[in-house]
Amino acid sequence: QVQLVESGGGLVQTGGSLRLSCAASARTFSSYTMGWFRRAPGKDREFVGGISRSGDRTSYADSVKGRFTISRDNAKNTVYLQMNSLKLEDTAVYYCAASTLLTPSPALYRYWGQGTQVTVSS
């Protein structure tokens, strides 16, 4: 069982930045690929990006490429989502999730956090 807890969400103006953190309970954190997803009001859950077990590979949705960066610190059992140049359409609840694959498919992520709200205002 892996418990994931996101933090760092909040209210930010367009063009601003936020860094989300996701802390994992498992000692086996480094054996999981980690993904970030988001769900905006009235929309389906969307893949934001993911990072491999060692952190040497990342994958991003086109909508965030060049603005968001995922990193991880396996010594701290934590994965991060640095969000820059935020846009109104980035407003959503953001979730981290753990998988054995680096994949955009939410169905392949076994463990999920509770989510953290990010609101971008003009």
Side-chain angles (χ1 to χ4, degrees):
Q1 185 75 14
V2 178
Q3 292 183 327
L4 302 172
V5 179
E6 301 95 338
S7 61
L11 176 65
V12 63
Q13 290 187 325
T14 54
S17 298
L18 277 177
R19 187 176 82 154
L20 305 184
S21 299
C22 171
S25 63
R27 294 180 181 179
T28 55
F29 174 73
S30 61
S31 66
Y32 292 95
T33 61
M34 297 299 297
W36 284 96
F37 292 80
R38 66 187 182 187
R39 187 192 297 272
K43 295 188 177 181
D44 292 333
R45 185 170 42 187
E46 174 190 22
F47 174 74
V48 173
I51 188 166
S52 61
R53 294 175 181 83
S54 66
D56 62 338
R57 288 182 296 129
T58 54
S59 176
Y60 297 96
D62 288 343
S63 59
V64 307
K65 201 170 293 183
R67 300 187 297 122
F68 290 11
T69 303
I70 297 174
S71 61
R72 67 189 296 164
D73 185 339
N74 287 341
K76 295 182 178 180
N77 286 3
T78 302
V79 62
Y80 304 97
L81 178 64
Q82 177 67 44
M83 305 185 293
N84 299 328
S85 302
L86 282 161
K87 304 176 180 180
L88 293 174
E89 52 264 41
D90 294 319
T91 294
V93 177
Y94 283 73
Y95 302 88
C96 66
S99 175
T100 57
L101 298 171
L102 182 56
T103 173
S105 174
L108 297 179
Y109 286 80
R110 182 173 180 182
Y111 302 106
W112 291 81
Q114 83 290 347
T116 185
Q117 176 71 47
V118 172
T119 303
V120 184
S121 66
S122 58

